Amino acid sequence: MKFKSEYEAAWANVEEIHVLKTSDWRYQRPVTKSEKCCQCGSCYVYCPSGSVIDEGNFFTANLDYCKGCGICAKVCPSNSIMMVREKRE
């Protein structure tokens, strides 16, 4: 099937996906221990919101869009990502 759009997929422009900041939804957030990260990219691949960022020598979450689901911590083979309780003011 060929899409009748300038984009490769049936959804919106990639630049417009991260318009709504969703960080207020979460009750926990991922914290990456950069020295333990094996740079496998599992967290990047499995993140359902696409909020994982490659920092060069480790991966971390963009906390403006992370919903705190914890999938990144579950799939991390080196256990370098841990979920911590979000502190609200």
Side-chain angles (χ1 to χ4, degrees):
M1 177 177 160
K2 182 73 174 153
F3 296 110
K4 294 179 172 96
S5 172
E6 64 182 294
Y7 308 112
E8 188 64 30
W11 48 85
N13 186 354
V14 175
E15 286 80 29
E16 296 174 3
I17 290 175
H18 287 250
V19 174
L20 178 65
K21 293 187 178 181
T22 56
S23 60
D24 290 338
W25 298 356
R26 69 173 179 263
Y27 69 94
Q28 60 183 0
R29 63 183 168 86
V31 175
T32 304
K33 298 175 191 169
S34 58
E35 66 278 355
K36 286 183 69 177
C37 180
C38 64
Q39 301 174 20
C40 66
S42 293
C43 56
Y44 183 85
V45 170
Y46 285 101
C47 178
S49 62
S51 60
V52 175
I53 304 167
D54 184 0
E55 295 288 345
N57 57 349
F58 67 95
F59 288 89
T60 188
N62 181 342
L63 296 178
D64 286 339
Y65 305 106
C66 174
K67 294 174 183 68
C69 67
I71 292 174
C72 57
K74 280 281 195 195
V75 299
C76 182
S78 62
N79 294 322
S80 63
I81 302 172
M82 60 183 210
M83 301 302 289
V84 296
R85 180 70 103 180
E86 190 73 60
K87 294 180 181 173
R88 299 287 180 194
E89 296 165 5

